[in-house]
Amino acid sequence: MRKLEVVMSPALLPYYKVAGKSVVVIDILRATSSMCVAFKNGVEKILPVSSPEECRIFKDFDFVIAAEKDAIKVDGFDLGNSPFDFDNYLLDGKSVAMATTNGTKALKYAQEHGAKNIVIGSFLNLTQVSNWIKSVDDDIILLCAGWKDKVNLEDTLFAGAVCDNLQHDLTIDCDSALSAKLLYQANKDNLEDLVRMSSHAKRFQLLHLQTDDIKYCLQIDFAPVLPILKGVYLVNDAK
Ligand code: MLT
């Protein structure tokens, strides 16, 4: 049977064999949730880039530019990293260039380590991602973006939800996947309470975030899209 592994932080990725495997990149608060919302609103493609400086260049090439640093929208950009920024019908048909502290970084890291396919996972597209994993032949790595190489609760919970969905289809023989699955199973009926205890939730409180991004990002299957990396762009491959 194919293997399903969970990597709880990008810092741990070098300890795994990535080449030839498919990787699901996870940044629940908020990069991968926002990417799903962008595609739900008709965005044509997303170019993940490494830094706000690099991202800014694409303004001259007709991209909508989105950048966040330390959970704050960077000055001079069209969008930050809140899903509410991307929940806008005016984005229909647009190309977006996007730089975030952890999410786009994790994606680039998976690419550098030789991932065969890279898809974007969030609670908003949980069933799409689970079905896609069932449909491919590869071993799977669920890569949590975490926060600056530290483990976080919300990404681990989502990895656990995928493990729970797929436990009869793939072999779970790593302790991080087992831990994520058990954490999710013990808390699946009160995900929001748990995520509100997380360090990123505290960061949002300190920033006096005006929108309830946590509630938004926990809406299971709200954006049934399948962002997948094709060349340098993420595109929506939902069937
Ligand atoms: C990131 O990619 O670093 C996060 O999504 C940060 C954020 O929530 O703004």
Side-chain angles (χ1 to χ4, degrees), residues 44 67 124 130 158 171 173 226:
E44 189 193 321
L124 308 180
S130 303
F158 174 76
T171 305
D173 66 357
L226 188 74

Side-chain angles (χ1 to χ4, degrees), residues 27 29-31 68 71 81 100-104 147 200 204:
D27 186 0
L29 298 176
R30 299 161 287 177
E68 159 274 337
N81 196 25
T100 71
T101 314
N102 306 287
T104 54
W147 180 261
H200 210 39
F204 287 166

